[in-house]
Amino acid sequence: MKTKLGGIYSALMVAYDEDGNINENGTREIIRHNIHKMEVDGLYVGGSTGENFMISTEEKKRILYIAMDEGRGQVKLMAQVGSVNLKEAVELGKYATDLGYDALSAVTPFYYKFDFEEIKNYYNTIIEATGNYMVIYFIPSLTGVNLSLDQFGELFENEKIIGVKFSHGDFFLLERLRKAYPDHLIYAGLDEMMLSAAVLHVDGGIGSTYNVNGIRAKQIYTLAKGGKIKEARELQHTTNDLIEGILANGLYQTIKEIMKTQGVDAGYCRQPTKRLSEEGIIAAKELAEKYL
């Protein structure tokens, strides 16, 4: 399973039109761009980068369908189905599994202060209903949910939970996870720390900036795995210069604007995310010219 599902995945962006509706043609362009230009190993569909927590269940299904229809047989496909609404998570998990997704992922249930038994039941319920593999989406900075090494171990007792998308800066916990669970998948979830994670022998990465910086991310990962740390470090420096500029200008809006400079109809972000100003559009183009 590690061999099959490892590698670099773009956290897939979704093109929306000016009214916030899914732009299907633009979304298909984004998928093709990731596969053919960024040369990613997989697509992580339905995550934060796709603005997933601002859209309806039916819209989430539509995106899952588009990604499978466009990407089937070309890259690995992982569906993020997590929701604070467990019934929705199960519904989406069944839908993605029926479509043929290689694995599911689910963000830890958030907002309400669920205890660990409730979190464990959430994952086990999705797995029992779908029969699919599960990758935990661990992003405590946004969910407020922390998991300990022992708690990860308890979750991993379910043989269908095959790994974790580790979007957290606690690299002590990352190292402990890697040592304790060598047979589970660990994906680096922080694009700016790919080199550091690769040195600890993660199995790949899942990131939003890979929609425009996927080639360089794969190079960092490959070089680090091959022990070529100096070369990887230089590429990480350049990557982080790019990321710093993107974050300062507006994360998702800027990535979409950069994709437009690369010939992709990446559309707009869904409200309440604001539009880029003219200055912001110019800044995005300058980032693309300088770093890509």
Side-chain angles (χ1 to χ4, degrees), residues 36-155:
H36 302 300
K37 301 297 184 182
M38 295 298 102
E39 299 180 4
V40 296
D41 300 301
L43 298 175
Y44 186 84
V45 185
S48 311
T49 306
E51 301 163 72
N52 184 70
F53 303 110
M54 295 190 283
I55 62 177
S56 70
T57 305
E58 290 309 308
E59 288 171 316
K60 293 174 185 179
K61 286 182 175 180
R62 186 62 187 162
I63 292 163
L64 288 169
Y65 172 80
I66 292 168
M68 174 57 74
D69 186 57
E70 194 67 45
R72 186 193 303 270
Q74 301 179 74
V75 289
K76 292 163 277 196
L77 293 164
M78 190 179 301
Q80 197 294 126
V81 301
S83 170
V84 74
N85 178 347
L86 181 53
K87 286 187 176 182
E88 181 191 48
V90 167
E91 182 178 345
L92 291 170
K94 288 179 176 178
Y95 182 75
T97 300
D98 289 344
L99 283 174
Y101 273 77
D102 297 291
L104 305 178
S105 182
V107 67
T108 49
F110 53 90
Y111 188 80
Y112 301 100
K113 301 296 183 182
F114 298 106
D115 64 27
F116 178 67
E117 289 303 314
E118 290 167 327
I119 292 170
K120 185 167 69 170
N121 178 67
Y122 161 90
Y123 284 111
N124 290 341
T125 299
I126 298 170
I127 292 164
E128 184 177 353
T130 65
N132 208 339
Y133 295 112
M134 172 63 68
V135 172
I136 296 164
Y137 181 10
F138 180 55
I139 183 164
S141 63
L142 295 183
T143 61
V145 178
N146 262 300
L147 296 172
S148 68
L149 182 65
D150 288 342
Q151 287 172 333
F152 272 111
E154 197 167 332
L155 290 170

Side-chain angles (χ1 to χ4, degrees), residues 144-179:
V145 178
N146 262 300
L147 296 172
S148 68
L149 182 65
D150 288 342
Q151 287 172 333
F152 272 111
E154 197 167 332
L155 290 170
F156 289 161
E157 288 175 6
N158 187 324
E159 63 181 16
K160 289 288 187 177
I161 299 181
I162 58 173
V164 54
K165 178 180 184 283
F166 194 93
S167 300
H168 190 28
D170 184 350
F171 271 44
F172 177 58
L173 177 58
L174 176 59
E175 184 276 334
R176 294 287 85 189
L177 273 171
R178 178 72 297 163
K179 183 175 186 293

